[in-house]
Amino acid sequence: MELHGESSGDGVKTDPAVMPRAQESALSRASVLHTTAYPGLLAATVLTGASAVTLGWDPALVSPLFVLVTLLYLTALERLIPYDRDWHPDRGEWRWYGVYFLLTMAGSAFAQLLVTLAVGALSPATPALPLWAEVPGALLIGSLASYLVHRLGHANALLWRLHGVHHVPRKVNVANNGVNHVLDIVLAQGIVQLSLALAGFSRVSVLVVGLFVTAQGYFVHANIDVRIGGLNHLLASPEQHRLHHSTTLSEAGHYGSDLSVWDHLFGSYTWRPGREPAAVGLGDPASFPDTGEILASLLQPWRRPRKTGGGPG
């Protein structure tokens, strides 16, 4: 297994005077990407949110376009500065991930529709507070709701039969962020959006927070060699989320995919510098269908468990 973007030689003889310069140039480009990849993503998120607010962009168009651009950006980084080259999706996995991605997007849209129909009138069109004060509040409440739902998805046997579909892959990459049971998405995102609507946050603040949460959700799954240092204690990162997918439950934790403060507060923060999972996936792989068995995965909540002991891993 090749970690942290290291690559072996191909056995081709190269002019000694040229090779060092080529290597130095490649290392220099990689070094820049290691440093700027995450700040660049955050800057693009802020710019998109600010533009959407000031120019009155339609959230129904902004959100899916932002997802697409974020996905393309992180997919490119996975090739340029990979954490583990063995985690790149193969052609078959790309097909499966594409189907799951469409199901996830459909589940998200359905959850949003349900919340809009139920309590849409409670969410004011204009902020009651200045946007600079409302956005942090919406982020804290939304991320807390997301953390609790996610943790419950691991603790409750019935909910795990939905959420466990996401943990089947033995890789963590930006593409399999979309590997989810559609009902898990409807439940999780419905509860988060419902909590924000009931709290009375404006549509503008929910849009801005949604862009950040989307960027973070794809970022933490990205197979990229990026470290954010002390920011790990405030924000979620790929370093933490790989541990969340670990087959070793004692180091898993990290249920927050946007902020890491709730993991600190509720005792599920396990990351430390240099800590990496030995393996990711399920502790009991036979307890769920393979990711490519899409229909079987969707029917998983109604199937008899294949084996006992198929808890999160």
Side-chain angles (χ1 to χ4, degrees), residues 260-309:
S260 60
V261 292
W262 304 117
D263 286 293
H264 271 300
L265 184 62
F266 295 114
S268 53
Y269 191 95
T270 69
W271 178 82
R272 61 175 180 268
R275 189 173 200 178
E276 300 174 347
V280 298
L282 295 174
D284 177 13
S287 62
F288 278 80
D290 289 336
T291 300
E293 301 177 54
I294 298 175
L295 182 59
S297 296
L298 294 177
L299 295 175
Q300 175 66 13
W302 298 277
R303 295 161 61 94
R304 172 177 290 186
R306 297 184 182 184
K307 288 177 63 178
T308 57

Side-chain angles (χ1 to χ4, degrees), residues 130-145:
L131 196 60
W132 62 264
E134 195 181 28
V135 167
L139 176 58
L140 285 173
I141 290 180
S143 66
L144 175 59

Side-chain angles (χ1 to χ4, degrees), residues 112-156:
Q112 187 172 11
L113 176 63
L114 290 179
V115 172
T116 300
L117 292 176
V119 293
L122 298 178
S123 184
T126 56
L129 297 172
L131 196 60
W132 62 264
E134 195 181 28
V135 167
L139 176 58
L140 285 173
I141 290 180
S143 66
L144 175 59
S146 177
Y147 173 92
L148 294 174
V149 172
H150 190 182
R151 188 159 187 173
L152 189 60
H154 282 258
N156 180 272

Side-chain angles (χ1 to χ4, degrees), residues 41 48 61-76 94 101-102 105 174 211 214-215 218:
L41 178 62
T48 302
L61 294 176
V62 174
S63 297
L65 286 175
F66 183 75
V67 167
L68 180 60
V69 172
T70 300
L71 185 58
L72 292 174
Y73 172 67
L74 292 172
T75 299
W94 274 116
F101 175 78
L102 294 176
M105 295 295 286
V174 70
L211 294 175
T214 296
Y218 282 100

